[in-house]
Amino acid sequence: DIVMTQTPLSSPVTLGQPASISCRSSRSLVHSDGNTYLSWLQQRPGQPPRLLIYKISNRFSGVPDRFSGSGAGTDFTLRISRVEAEDVGVYYCVQATQFPWTFGQGTRVEIK
Amino acid sequence: QEQLVESGGGEVQPGRSLRLSCAASGFTFSSHGMHWVRQAPGKGLEWVAVIWYDGSNKYYADPVTGRFAISRDNSKNTVYLQMNSLRGEDTAVYYCVRWGDEKTFDSWGPGTLVTVSS
């Protein structure tokens, strides 16, 4: 199975400041069709996860443009340009390139 | 607006069975694969099972293979998870998730809690 490793596991951030989360996969996530199926999910306290970013850098419908994704191969990053109070929660990367689908362990974003 | 609503969770003794249901609305259910993903209390997300849009293929995570069975009824817009021989480590919130375009988990239900305890 592909192991997804996120760093840091916790990220205290000042409101209005940027935040960055790294996700590293144990094998390349480039699919045989040429796409890289790496997504990011946000889980606010007490809520189910929701899709933020797909295929590395594509924002899902309704996601604010302060969220961006980048990376390639085995190294990926989620950035929040200016953290707002509603961004508090846990963020997960997930790969859908190879079965079984696997998630990172999650990164908690909290306000300092 | 698509909506997924799980039901059927509860407390059950080890070794017993439980069937979860997920009712879908607001989209063409028969065009989408569907997943079950679980989250143990205070823990991260774990993929459990997937069923193709037409039910032709089903895949399971190793920890549940041989004990859980996913199925769907496209006439009822519902996906199911039959869970047998339940163990304490199956205790989790179980989410029903739509398999969207570009291989995304693009819509999640609120989840249903399954507690396995004697």
Side-chain angles (χ1 to χ4, degrees), chain A residues 2-110:
Chain A
I2 294 178
V3 177
M4 307 296 288
T5 303
Q6 291 183 227
T7 55
L9 298 184
S10 179
S11 179
V13 185
T14 301
L15 285 173
Q17 293 300 302
S20 180
I21 300 169
S22 173
C23 175
R24 179 166 291 178
S25 59
S26 60
R27 290 197 293 278
S28 172
L29 297 186
V30 179
H31 193 273
S32 57
D33 65 10
N35 291 303
T36 300
Y37 296 106
L38 184 282
S39 297
W40 289 95
L41 308 172
Q42 176 196 58
Q43 187 174 30
R44 291 169 171 155
Q47 295 189 15
R50 70 157 175 150
L51 178 64
L52 290 180
I53 302 283
Y54 64 95
K55 285 202 308 184
I56 301 177
S57 59
N58 296 275
R59 272 189 303 276
F60 191 56
S61 175
V63 174
D65 61 7
R66 65 179 180 275
F67 291 94
S68 64
S70 63
T74 62
D75 288 285
F76 307 93
T77 302
L78 175 71
R79 290 187 176 87
I80 311 173
S81 59
R82 295 173 304 279
V83 171
E84 298 187 5
E86 66 179 16
D87 300 335
V88 166
V90 181
Y91 292 78
Y92 297 92
C93 58
V94 54
Q95 68 83 18
T97 290
Q98 180 177 314
F99 174 83
W101 298 273
T102 47
F103 296 85
Q105 64 270 63
T107 295
R108 185 174 302 277
V109 171
E110 54 194 14

Side-chain angles (χ1 to χ4, degrees), chain A residues 43 48-49 54-55 92 99 101, chain B residues 39 47 95 99 102 104 108-109:
Chain A
Q43 187 174 30
Y54 64 95
K55 285 202 308 184
Y92 297 92
F99 174 83
W101 298 273
Chain B
Q39 186 171 36
W47 174 78
Y95 295 105
W99 191 228
E102 309 293 3
T104 56
W108 296 65

